[in-house]
Amino acid sequence: MTLIQQLLKKGIIDKEQATSLEFEVKERKKKEEELLIEKKIVTEDLLFSLKSENLNIPLKTVDPEEVPLKTLELIPEETVKYYQMIPLSKKGNFLEVGMVYPEDLKAQEALKFLARQENFNFQVFLITFTTFNELLKQYHTLKRELSKALEELKVELKEERVSKTVAEFERLAEEAPITKIVAVMLRQAVDGGASDLHIEPGREKMRVRFRLLGQLHSSIFLPMRIHPAVIARVKILSNLKIDETRVPQDGRFSTKIDERDIDFRVSTFPTVLGEKVAIRVLDPTLGMKKFEELGLESRNFEVLKKAIKKPYGLILATGPTGCGKTTTLYALLQALNKEGVNIVTLEDPVEYFIEGVNQSQIKPEINYDFARGLRHVLRQDPDIIMVGEIRDEETAFLVTHAALTGHIVLSTLHTNDALGGIPRLIDLGIKPFLISPMLNCIIAQRLVRRLCQFCKKETSPKREVKNLILKEIENLPEQIKKEVKIPSPMRIFEPTGCKKCNQEGFSGRIALFEILEMTDQLAEVILKAPTIENLQQEAKRQGMITMFQDGVLKVLAGVTTIEEVLKVAEEK
């Protein structure tokens, strides 16, 4: 019995769904398990429990850290990937093997062949995709791979062999051990979900740090003698000048890691101890979010949905560097990206490539800036325009002109909150009477760490925290206040740490939002007296939720902690 038939028999899906799924399995040549997980028909745990019952093979959960590297090496990595089977434990001559597809006859034959060659007996267990992928990562532990590469480099590191010439650094950078060291760093950054990788020179050691959930963590220290060769290797990948060490350089390169196309944005920076390199990891599977996944709740979601449905107008995302503005704009672009529209972007730099969108990177060094690019964009018959940032009066004027002449325009500004966007536009020379017809809404946001859903712990808040939450709930707009349910006694959540989140207690990040909508009343305020006090009164009248209030709602929902919210959003 197939899994789809089993789900039908148990009443989890109906006959129409079953027929549609079976057709899709054949058409897309996908395995049932992959399709059912992709479409979120069932959870992975339930699916594999049913499969275990169907095949009469026990389902096993394994802690990856408890599987010794020597055991993993009993089956070559290429074989493991191809057949999706992996060794779990070995006692004497007996090997336990985890398989995602134990029913696969070719995988069974391969295992029998290995058992004959290596002279072991085996028992097969069923394992989930998640367990398999976590175990697969163990083949690439950072310290293990780097120590192997450093062993190979021992000969190269002899003082007499390490020349200070550019040619020598270039030669060493192309040698297998250095190539491997850089490749291992990049793989670890991607596998660990890091947003950035920093390679920093020191007096005696070179430090490698990863930025995880917004915070930098030292990962490993390497001999300073290999620092020039590592930097040279990164420069070769990024097509940068190897012999230029006095001024900063920017570059980019792409590579495939586990069948995923990953982009890396590179920035070099001269320091007194040598060049520092910062590498931004641009993984589309993490950085590209759908509109519905941004973390917008109730009123915010509705306001933004209404704004992108308008035929023209400006949508502004505001906030400091690294607050997720670009991610939000990319999510809006994906929602707007339809066959019948022409979307053109001007970016600095292009972070992710979106199929069907015409993306252009500005190059100030050749006088191709936002203002000049925008003039040319308007000749490209666009329906939707994205301008990376409004930095000057000329760009602000052109953006206003575009928004008033029938285009949807997305852009960013550096302001602290949504209300600050109005005076900033006026500072940039936009006449107040033009702001209301061209502006749809202003989004302000900050990023907070999301609690790990596997280990977060329910707790009672301290008195001052409880009072703070109650005060913010009391100040919420009436419509939102009606929807809030506060348990008695009040309960919130705190991080604990588990293997799923690397003992951090947090997994991923989510944005706190506030969105100011253009209304007739706001237009009147902008024309008469656009002071912060008047703007605040109008924001309250239209039911705007502040970032802090959005954070408090997310705290009550168990998404994040009050400490995270207090770090990035201020009480008003």
Side-chain angles (χ1 to χ4, degrees):
M1 188 188 295
T2 68
L3 281 167
I4 292 171
Q5 288 166 350
Q6 203 174 354
L7 292 173
L8 176 62
K9 188 180 175 183
K10 289 187 177 286
I12 295 169
I13 57 173
D14 58 34
K15 199 166 183 179
E16 191 181 332
Q17 276 179 298
T19 307
S20 171
L21 288 165
E22 282 169 347
F23 174 77
E24 204 166 341
V25 165
K26 285 178 187 172
E27 276 293 297
R28 292 174 62 188
K29 294 181 180 171
K30 269 192 118 111
K31 293 193 183 281
E32 283 183 301
E33 294 88 338
E34 291 173 0
L35 189 68
L36 291 164
I37 296 291
E38 180 192 305
K39 291 191 168 288
K40 299 180 180 171
I41 304 290
V42 285
T43 63
E44 187 183 60
D45 289 343
L46 175 58
L47 181 67
F48 277 84
S49 294
L50 291 171
K51 185 171 178 175
S52 170
E53 182 187 312
N54 201 7
L55 297 173
N56 199 24
I57 295 174
L59 178 66
K60 188 153 190 166
T61 53
V62 186
D63 180 353
E65 290 179 12
E66 289 176 8
V67 180
L69 292 171
K70 281 186 179 178
T71 303
L72 289 174
E73 286 165 359
L74 290 168
I75 299 180
E77 187 184 350
E78 293 73 22
T79 307
V80 166
K81 282 181 177 175
Y82 188 80
Y83 293 109
Q84 290 189 277
M85 63 180 183
I86 200 159
L88 305 177
S89 71
K90 189 171 189 282
K91 289 174 188 170
N93 202 31
F94 191 79
L95 185 68
E96 290 185 352
V97 180
M99 297 177 80
V100 176
Y101 301 108
E103 71 277 20
D104 184 341
L105 295 175
K106 286 184 180 176
Q108 288 176 23
E109 285 303 316
L111 183 55
K112 284 172 188 171
F113 174 76
L114 282 167
R116 285 195 299 272
Q117 272 209 323
E118 301 297 327
N119 194 28
F120 61 76
N121 296 314
F122 63 85
Q123 182 184 357
V124 169
F125 290 89
L126 181 67
I127 55 171
T128 64
F129 293 124
T130 302
T131 300
F132 175 77
N133 290 328
E134 289 301 315
L135 284 165
L136 191 59
K137 285 179 189 174
Q138 295 301 302
Y139 279 93
H140 301 287
T141 56
L142 182 63
K143 286 180 181 170
R144 174 175 175 257
E145 289 206 34
L146 285 180
S147 57
K148 278 172 77 176
L150 286 170
E151 282 296 318
E152 294 173 42
L153 253 183
K154 268 186 180 175
V155 179
E156 299 295 336
L157 288 176
K158 286 181 180 172
E159 288 292 342
E160 64 271 19
R161 292 286 309 278
V162 179
S163 163
K164 300 288 184 188
T165 67
V166 171
E168 182 65 18
F169 289 147
E170 190 169 354
R171 181 195 65 74
L172 191 54
E174 294 286 19
E175 300 238 344
I178 287 291
T179 303
K180 194 182 288 183
I181 284 170
V182 173
V184 168
M185 288 178 188
L186 297 175
R187 173 184 281 279
Q188 285 297 316
V190 173
D191 285 350
S195 60
D196 300 86
L197 163 64
H198 292 248
I199 302 168
E200 302 165 323
R203 289 190 183 279
E204 295 173 4
K205 299 272 186 183
M206 176 179 86
R207 179 171 64 169
V208 178
R209 294 197 288 173
F210 295 118
R211 188 178 291 282
L212 298 160
L213 304 181
Q215 296 183 344
L216 277 171
H217 299 270
S218 289
S219 182
I220 200 160
F221 292 88
L222 296 171
M224 256 310 279
R225 286 173 292 176
I226 70 165
H227 175 261
V230 168
I231 301 300
R233 176 62 187 159
V234 174
K235 285 182 172 181
I236 288 167
L237 288 169
S238 317
N239 286 320
L240 300 178
K241 294 176 184 174
I242 295 174
D243 58 343
E244 181 55 84
T245 59
R246 299 162 303 166
V247 296
Q249 295 185 73
D250 293 317
R252 187 181 189 126
F253 66 94
S254 300
T255 190
K256 249 189 174 23
I257 294 179
D258 292 335
E259 302 307 310
R260 286 184 289 166
D261 290 312
I262 310 292
D263 287 337
F264 297 93
R265 201 172 77 218
V266 176
S267 171
T268 70
F269 185 75
T271 75
V272 290
L273 297 173
E275 283 186 286
K276 175 189 183 300
V277 169
I279 303 174
R280 170 65 55 90
V281 182
L282 300 169
D283 183 351
T285 59
L286 297 177
M288 293 282 279
K289 294 190 184 297
K290 291 182 180 171
F291 181 45
E292 296 77 15
E293 298 170 346
L294 289 173
L296 292 155
E297 309 289 344
S298 55
R299 184 252 178 199
N300 286 342
F301 183 73
E302 292 307 318
V303 169
L304 199 47
K305 197 160 69 169
K306 187 165 77 173
I308 63 172
K309 283 182 180 173
K310 290 185 178 179
Y312 64 89
L314 173 65
I315 297 171
L316 265 183
T318 70
T321 304
C323 72
K325 299 188 296 291
T326 305
T327 300
T328 297
L329 292 190
Y330 272 45
L332 296 180
L333 278 183
Q334 288 182 89
L336 292 163
N337 190 10
K338 304 283 189 295
E339 180 64 33
V341 296
N342 176 23
I343 303 178
V344 186
T345 75
L346 287 170
E347 303 176 55
D348 182 25
V350 173
E351 294 212 355
Y352 299 104
F353 299 103
I354 307 174
E355 194 67 39
V357 175
N358 304 290
Q359 295 169 270
S360 180
Q361 180 161 322
I362 67 158
K363 292 174 182 172
E365 65 273 15
I366 57 168
N367 200 28
Y368 179 48
D369 55 15
F370 284 123
R372 187 176 181 187
L374 195 44
R375 281 199 177 85
H376 288 280
V377 164
L378 290 168
R379 295 174 200 153
Q380 287 289 316
D381 185 31
D383 299 292
I384 297 158
I385 302 166
M386 183 177 104
V387 180
E389 188 185 337
I390 300 174
R391 293 177 181 169
D392 52 49
E393 290 187 13
E394 191 178 3
T395 308
F397 170 78
L398 290 165
V399 162
T400 303
H401 172 70
L404 288 170
T405 53
H407 305 93
I408 293 174
V409 184
L410 311 177
S411 193
T412 70
L413 262 184
H414 284 291
T415 64
N416 286 329
D417 53 23
L419 301 181
I422 302 291
R424 180 76 184 114
L425 287 171
I426 294 169
D427 287 345
L428 284 164
I430 307 300
K431 304 289 184 197
F433 70 87
L434 291 176
I435 291 176
S436 56
M438 72 94 172
L439 183 66
N440 288 348
C441 68
I442 302 178
I443 309 159
Q445 64 184 84
R446 297 289 188 281
L447 291 176
V448 292
R449 292 183 294 171
R450 189 198 289 263
L451 279 164
C452 172
Q453 299 305 299
F454 294 97
C455 66
K456 66 179 183 181
K457 189 174 76 177
E458 204 175 70
T459 184
S460 298
K462 291 177 183 173
R463 185 189 299 170
E464 57 269 29
V465 170
K466 183 180 175 180
N467 291 340
L468 178 65
I469 290 171
L470 290 172
K471 177 187 162 192
E472 286 305 318
I473 298 299
E474 188 56 38
N475 290 334
L476 278 171
E478 284 305 318
Q479 188 56 43
I480 305 295
K481 202 192 297 184
K482 286 177 194 170
E483 297 170 12
V484 179
K485 290 173 184 172
I486 303 173
S488 183
M490 187 188 288
R491 310 296 285 169
I492 58 173
F493 291 85
E494 62 183 17
T496 51
C498 66
K499 281 172 181 144
K500 294 262 188 188
C501 61
N502 292 321
Q503 306 302 328
E504 291 282 335
F506 296 93
S507 178
R509 290 191 289 175
I510 195 163
L512 309 182
F513 291 96
E514 62 183 35
I515 302 180
L516 181 67
E517 184 181 15
M518 180 51 68
T519 59
D520 291 341
Q521 293 89 335
L522 179 58
E524 201 174 317
V525 170
I526 293 168
L527 278 172
K528 289 183 177 174
T531 63
I532 290 297
E533 292 76 17
N534 290 343
L535 290 169
Q536 278 175 341
Q537 282 178 10
E538 164 52 22
K540 193 168 185 181
R541 188 210 61 77
Q542 66 176 240
M544 187 186 90
I545 308 166
T546 67
M547 262 186 285
F548 191 78
Q549 288 171 337
D550 191 34
V552 165
L553 292 174
K554 286 182 167 86
V555 168
L556 286 173
V559 175
T560 190
T561 66
I562 193 70
E563 290 78 12
E564 284 291 302
V565 174
L566 287 164
K567 272 186 212 170
V568 300
E570 58 181 282
E571 186 186 352
K572 289 184 182 177

